[in-house]
Amino acid sequence: PEMFAAGAKFLDWKMGAVNTVVLLLSSLTMALSIYYAQMNNKKLVLVNLYITLICAGIFMCIKYVEYTHKFHLGLYPGNYFSYTGPEAQQFSNLGMYFALYFCMTGLHGSHVLVGMGLIIWLIIRAHRGEFGPKYYT
């Protein structure tokens, strides 16, 4: 628990909050795109898919800023940990915390990147008019 408390001091709750809002908004717009496909409203299907894609891009940009800051401080995962601040001496396993942090957030970032590719594919198909009341999933 002490390791997690020490590691959490390096996390920016404001960026985390913005990313949470962005992810919730993207979930809403993705669901709305399905709803508008059911209603046969191609324009709003596309608007919501584009908003979802933009939200994913915002999420990835925030992750980039967060990762860059951590790398600048030397907060690398595992054996690559090179932070020399007071927390490093107090918690020798802080590198393990960041290994877990980068695995979890990196896996989620990979999920978002794959999702962005799939959303682009859905946008192309929506432009072709492939979605409507009879086929919306």
Side-chain angles (χ1 to χ4, degrees), residues 1 3 6-7 17 30 34 37 39 41 46-48 53 57 64 75 79 83 85-86 90 92 106 112 128-129 131 135:
M3 175 184 69
M30 194 70 212
I34 295 168
M39 299 296 115
N41 189 333
L46 285 163
V47 165
N48 281 284
L53 185 63
Y64 172 79
L75 299 170
N79 293 335
Y83 178 73
Q90 188 179 4
S92 59
V112 172
R128 292 181 190 153
F131 302 115
Y135 183 72

Side-chain angles (χ1 to χ4, degrees), residues 4-136:
F4 284 91
K9 292 178 184 176
F10 294 97
L11 304 180
D12 185 339
W13 70 267
K14 293 174 187 167
M15 286 193 183
V18 170
N19 260 350
T20 299
V21 170
V22 166
L23 289 172
L24 290 172
L25 177 62
S26 69
S27 294
L28 172 65
T29 56
M30 194 70 212
L32 285 173
S33 68
I34 295 168
Y35 170 77
Y36 288 119
Q38 292 170 329
M39 299 296 115
N40 206 30
N41 189 333
K42 179 181 171 180
K43 179 183 177 186
L44 287 177
V45 168
L46 285 163
V47 165
N48 281 284
L49 286 173
Y50 279 113
I51 292 171
T52 305
L53 185 63
I54 291 167
C55 286
I58 292 169
F59 176 86
M60 293 306 293
C61 288
I62 290 173
K63 278 294 153 209
Y64 172 79
V65 170
E66 288 180 324
Y67 275 30
T68 302
H69 178 68
K70 285 170 184 53
F71 293 159
H72 176 74
L73 294 175
L75 299 170
Y76 295 102
N79 293 335
Y80 302 103
F81 186 80
S82 61
Y83 178 73
T84 56
E87 296 88 352
Q89 284 78 34
Q90 188 179 4
F91 300 102
S92 59
N93 55 1
L94 202 51
M96 185 187 312
Y97 171 86
F98 283 100
L100 183 60
Y101 169 82
F102 285 115
C103 281
M104 290 172 50
T105 59
L107 180 63
H108 188 236
S110 299
H111 167 84
V112 172
L113 283 175
V114 169
M116 290 174 78
L118 292 171
I119 292 168
I120 290 169
W121 177 63
L122 291 173
I123 288 170
I124 292 167
R125 293 184 66 200
H127 273 289
R128 292 181 190 153
E130 294 182 22
F131 302 115
K134 294 183 180 182
Y135 183 72
Y136 49 86

